[in-house]
Amino acid sequence: MARLVLPFLGALVLTTVVLLTVDVAPLDAYRILLFGAFSTPIRFGDMVMLASPLILCAGGLTLTFAAGLYNLGIEGQVVLGAIAAMIPLRLFPDLPPPLLWMLSFAFGAAGGMLWALLAASLRLGAGVNEIFAGLGLNFLASGIALYLILGPWRREGSASSSGTALLPRELWLPTVGSLRLAPLAPIIALVALVVVWWVLSRMRWGLEVRAVGLNGAAADRLGVPAVKRMAQAMAGCGLLAGLAGTLQVLGVFHQLIPNISSGVGLIGLLVVLLVLARPIWVLPVAVVFATFTVGSVQLPLTLGIDSSIAGVLQGALVLAALVSRGLMQRRRRA
């Protein structure tokens, strides 16, 4: 319990100090951050559509963290998943929408997985740290997306850096009434998270991945194929990131835009750091982070402060959790 309460209290203290320095009542800001996403059905739908790809990314990152890998390239994997998801939509626009959705999700998952395996090959084959490989691949993925938007996939008549042409309405994922909430998005995210939890906690494969994360050399000497398990963990994370990118295309933006990931990969990293890579806590923390982000949109209108205060609170939570974990580990060693 202390691991959860102490970081939360520490984050509140830090964020409260920031709010007081700009003459904003902290309670008013917290009320909006916590309940703003539930004030209207539209905002609630937006929160769910943000939480869904966030859960996919955070769930995938628990695989790589369990294997001892810091997959900072997840943003690029989301982008490549979105790019790959667009391919069948452009090649076969006359196919029935359900078939196109299945193809799009398959292509998106494959795109994210292949991009993650590229980072894994640089780490395992060329000795390039996965952090630097991932960051470099993030820039490359963004460059590819921008090239496609301004080049081969540009809008008819004139190129625009704002994105490709909108998909036909019938290719958008079905929504609830007039809301932007596509029920398929949270269903995919929850199923994927359950699968991740199952394979990590109930299968031999998950035990071997965690053994590699604890000590790869020792696991390899005991017969665990360490290199293979690390590559598989990266591939699984990339697959889920690719699905997140597909949801961004089919369910959120309905086009390819330069910032198609919207930072869900980086926020997913914060979620995983806060929950210490435990899948069982990914769902509630991801929902809380999505709630903060959607609620913060109302801050400029109601309190006259920038919505980035939600990022301050999210970052403070992660920082406080890491400090708390370090202090507890030092206490145990002492």
Side-chain angles (χ1 to χ4, degrees), residues 10-54:
L12 281 181
V13 170
L14 179 58
T15 309
T16 298
V17 171
V18 173
L19 290 170
L20 290 175
T21 58
V22 293
D23 295 326
V24 173
L27 290 180
D28 291 338
Y30 293 143
R31 176 179 54 81
I32 294 172
L33 287 174
L34 289 173
F35 303 110
F38 303 93
S39 58
T40 67
I42 291 178
R43 288 170 184 156
F44 176 77
D46 291 344
M47 185 274 291
V48 174
M49 292 305 292
L50 173 59
S52 297
L54 179 55

Side-chain angles (χ1 to χ4, degrees), residues 147-327:
Y147 164 72
L148 291 171
I149 291 169
L150 295 176
W153 292 356
R154 64 181 180 273
R155 295 179 182 180
E156 291 186 7
S158 64
S160 173
S161 60
S162 62
T164 60
L166 284 174
L167 296 172
R169 189 78 186 210
E170 61 271 16
L171 297 184
W172 299 10
L173 289 181
T175 58
V176 178
S178 60
L179 303 180
R180 293 187 287 262
L181 172 58
L184 189 60
I187 291 174
I188 291 174
L190 292 176
V191 170
L193 185 59
V194 170
V195 171
V196 168
W197 169 81
W198 180 264
V199 298
L200 282 180
S201 62
R202 295 292 186 271
M203 291 184 64
R204 179 184 177 86
W205 183 87
L207 177 62
E208 292 180 347
V209 167
R210 287 185 281 121
V212 170
L214 292 173
N215 192 320
D220 196 57
R221 285 195 296 269
L222 292 174
V224 176
V227 172
K228 183 177 180 180
R229 292 293 176 262
M230 286 192 285
Q232 290 171 343
M234 285 288 286
C237 183
L239 186 151
L240 295 183
L243 291 178
T246 306
L247 286 180
Q248 295 289 83
V249 169
L250 293 177
V252 179
F253 296 107
H254 312 115
Q255 60 179 159
L256 180 66
I257 64 173
N259 189 30
I260 191 68
S261 71
S262 297
V264 293
L266 294 178
I267 301 176
L269 282 167
L270 296 180
V271 171
V272 174
L273 288 171
L274 183 58
V275 303
L276 304 180
R278 291 172 293 185
I280 194 171
W281 289 106
V282 164
L283 175 60
V285 175
V287 170
V288 169
F289 272 40
T291 299
F292 288 164
T293 302
V294 174
S296 67
V297 176
Q298 303 171 56
L299 290 175
L301 299 176
T302 55
L303 299 179
I305 59 174
D306 194 85
S307 60
S308 59
I309 193 64
V312 174
L313 181 56
Q314 292 168 351
L317 279 169
V318 175
L319 178 61
L322 293 176
V323 171
S324 175
R325 182 186 182 188
L327 292 175

Side-chain angles (χ1 to χ4, degrees), residues 48-141:
V48 174
M49 292 305 292
L50 173 59
S52 297
L54 179 55
I55 290 170
L56 286 169
C57 290
L61 285 166
T62 60
L63 294 174
T64 55
F65 272 65
L69 298 170
Y70 293 89
N71 183 20
L72 266 66
I74 191 167
E75 281 281 307
Q77 292 149 31
V78 173
V79 173
L80 255 292
I83 292 172
M86 287 287 294
I87 294 175
L89 299 175
R90 297 186 65 87
L91 291 180
F92 315 110
D94 297 327
L95 289 178
L99 180 56
L100 266 178
W101 294 332
M102 288 189 290
L103 286 174
S104 188
F105 277 111
F107 273 64
M113 182 174 63
L114 291 175
W115 206 246
L117 284 175
L118 178 56
S121 65
L122 291 173
R123 164 68 170 81
L124 302 172
V128 179
N129 187 284
E130 72 273 9
I131 294 176
F132 301 116
L135 291 175
L137 289 172
N138 286 347
F139 284 108
L140 180 56

